[in-house]
Amino acid sequence: MKLGPLPKQGFFADKNHAFWVLQISGWAAYLVLRALGGLANSMGIGYVVPTLVATATGFSLTLLMSAAFRRIIRMRAVFVWSLTLIIVALAAVAFSALEVWAHARFYNSSFQPQGIQFFGAILLDLSVLAAWTGLYYGINYYLLLDEQSERVLILSAQASAAQLAMLRYQLNPHFLFNTLNSISTLVLLKETERANTMLSRLSSFLRYSLVSDPTETVSLAQEIEALKLYFEIERMRFEDRLRTRFDIEDAALHGSLPSLLLQPLVENAIKYAVTPQEEGAEIVVAAHVSGDRLLISISDDGPGLTAERSSLVPSSGVGLNNIRDRLFQTYGDDHRFEMISNVPQGVVANIEIPFEPASVRLKESV
């Protein structure tokens, strides 16, 4: 399952458009406020002209500043702030010089500020450019933080999906080895028809295991069909020693669960209940819905729990740990998985998960 970047929404969905809207709106407000301030102080309509020149100067200088800031914003902090202070200071000097020239040229030719007056003009323009810079960095650091947060979410989802896929593709090599060995034996015994049947069922089971998306859930009905295929393959080896029974409530068939979640439990039952007993064992797969929960159990009438069987890491390398990890990846803490003694003998594996109707389209039954 490929996860791409999430589509951005809101005002900053198009950063370029947002910049120009803010830039034009901000300097338009500056022009209006400066012009109204001059008129309110009886400076006359002529004051509007130098105000226009000052606004155009500030607008142009901040465009140049934004181009410089875009190149330094991802540098180390010491370089960002050092270069920013230098750029703002130089821009303030240029801004003040042009503003003073425009005031003297278009409004008051006798105006020649010196010393503290010119320094005051620089401070005024410095404060305007510093405010613009603060707003620029504030918005861009917010967008960078939002981008990093989005990237973390995507990477987290990809890691979770990759872990699910890894767990799901851990098909037990012990099962494959035994099945292929049985097929080989049938071929040597020239029991071609039985060998072809077993090979066909193995092919169907592998097709199901590989075609289904490891990050998606499947219906219990589909999972039961896969288990029946698995039992048919194993019955070619154990014949009458392997007895199976399904007790599935109709409503439960529509519930969803991770694909091939039950196969390790069935294999566990065959390994520890059917194999060691000359008479074999019966394996019962049951499921029903209780409220908003799906309850699944796989029981056998074998020798019962042993230290080896209750181990979280069976010798085959795939088993109960795999199931616990997949349940946690899919449902978090909202699940229950346990193995307890059966009555009068044997083992029961119980799984309780939220009942969720299969959301994906059911694939063709194997």
Side-chain angles (χ1 to χ4, degrees):
M1 179 171 62
K2 185 177 180 181
L3 299 173
L6 302 174
K8 292 185 179 297
Q9 299 179 352
F11 180 71
F12 292 104
D14 185 341
K15 289 177 61 176
N16 189 56
H17 176 266
F19 171 81
W20 283 108
V21 170
L22 292 174
Q23 176 77 349
I24 294 172
S25 301
W27 284 107
Y30 174 86
L31 171 63
V32 172
L33 290 175
R34 285 288 301 268
L36 290 177
L39 294 174
N41 287 291
S42 303
M43 299 182 73
I45 194 69
Y47 183 72
V48 174
V49 177
T51 302
L52 283 170
V53 174
T55 302
T57 300
F59 185 91
S60 301
L61 284 172
T62 49
L63 287 181
L64 295 174
M65 290 166 61
S66 68
F69 292 162
R70 279 196 297 271
R71 286 166 173 77
I72 68 174
I73 195 170
R74 294 180 184 271
M75 293 182 179
R76 293 173 57 184
V78 62
F79 295 116
V80 172
W81 299 120
S82 299
L83 292 173
T84 297
L85 289 174
I86 293 172
I87 291 171
V88 171
L90 292 175
V93 172
F95 194 180
S96 300
L98 287 171
E99 186 175 16
V100 168
W101 171 83
H103 191 86
R105 177 69 176 81
F106 299 106
Y107 182 72
N108 184 1
S109 58
S110 63
F111 179 69
Q112 295 292 334
Q114 295 180 354
I116 193 66
Q117 288 183 314
F118 189 75
F119 182 70
I122 292 179
L123 287 180
L124 177 63
D125 293 330
L126 180 65
S127 65
V128 172
L129 295 180
W132 184 95
T133 300
L135 185 62
Y136 179 90
Y137 275 120
I139 291 174
N140 278 275
Y141 277 127
Y142 164 78
L143 294 176
L144 285 174
L145 179 62
D146 185 60
E147 179 183 325
Q148 291 295 326
S149 299
E150 178 184 316
R151 189 173 300 167
V152 168
L153 287 175
I154 292 174
L155 291 175
S156 177
Q158 288 176 337
S160 179
Q163 186 171 0
L164 275 174
M166 177 195 70
L167 293 169
R168 166 60 175 70
Y169 285 136
Q170 286 180 341
L171 185 61
N172 200 324
H174 182 70
F175 155 68
L176 284 176
F177 172 79
N178 285 337
T179 304
L180 293 174
N181 187 56
S182 297
I183 293 172
S184 175
T185 301
L186 291 174
V187 171
L188 290 175
L189 295 174
K190 297 184 179 180
E191 296 186 28
T192 308
E193 184 176 346
R194 291 186 66 196
N196 284 336
T197 301
M198 198 170 188
L199 188 60
S200 175
R201 290 170 180 170
L202 175 62
S203 175
S204 297
F205 182 80
L206 291 177
R207 178 165 58 88
Y208 170 80
S209 69
L210 295 175
V211 168
S212 56
D213 190 335
T215 63
E216 298 287 353
T217 56
V218 298
S219 71
L220 180 61
Q222 189 174 357
E223 191 74 353
I224 292 300
E225 290 302 313
L227 283 185
K228 289 179 179 178
L229 254 180
Y230 180 81
F231 280 136
E232 289 176 6
I233 294 171
E234 293 288 29
R235 194 170 285 114
M236 299 290 290
R237 295 172 50 220
F238 294 99
E239 297 181 339
D240 294 338
R241 294 174 60 206
L242 173 59
R243 300 177 295 279
T244 60
R245 180 161 57 89
F246 290 87
D247 182 13
I248 311 295
E249 185 182 87
D250 289 342
L253 291 172
H254 303 288
S256 62
L257 74 166
S259 62
L260 289 182
L261 181 73
L262 306 180
Q263 189 268 339
L265 290 175
V266 169
E267 181 168 7
N268 200 47
I270 291 175
K271 180 177 181 180
Y272 293 106
V274 178
T275 302
Q277 299 189 125
E278 186 176 348
E279 69 278 14
E282 181 183 44
I283 299 175
V284 180
V285 180
H288 69 278
V289 178
S290 177
D292 61 348
R293 312 294 289 178
L294 176 61
L295 308 177
I296 305 171
S297 68
I298 296 178
S299 59
D300 63 68
D301 55 0
L305 279 175
T306 62
E308 182 183 11
R309 186 169 184 182
S310 60
S311 170
L312 294 181
V313 187
S315 59
S316 57
V318 177
L320 307 188
N321 246 0
N322 181 291
I323 296 171
R324 293 183 189 278
D325 289 342
R326 294 184 68 195
L327 286 171
F328 181 79
Q329 286 291 323
T330 306
Y331 304 106
D333 292 325
D334 191 19
H335 74 275
R336 180 173 63 88
F337 172 56
E338 62 181 4
M339 292 188 69
I340 59 177
S341 296
N342 197 7
V343 178
Q345 69 176 49
V347 174
V348 180
N350 292 316
I351 294 177
E352 178 184 329
I353 57 178
F355 177 77
E356 300 172 352
S359 58
V360 296
R361 184 184 175 204
L362 294 182
K363 299 179 176 68
E364 181 182 355
S365 173
V366 294

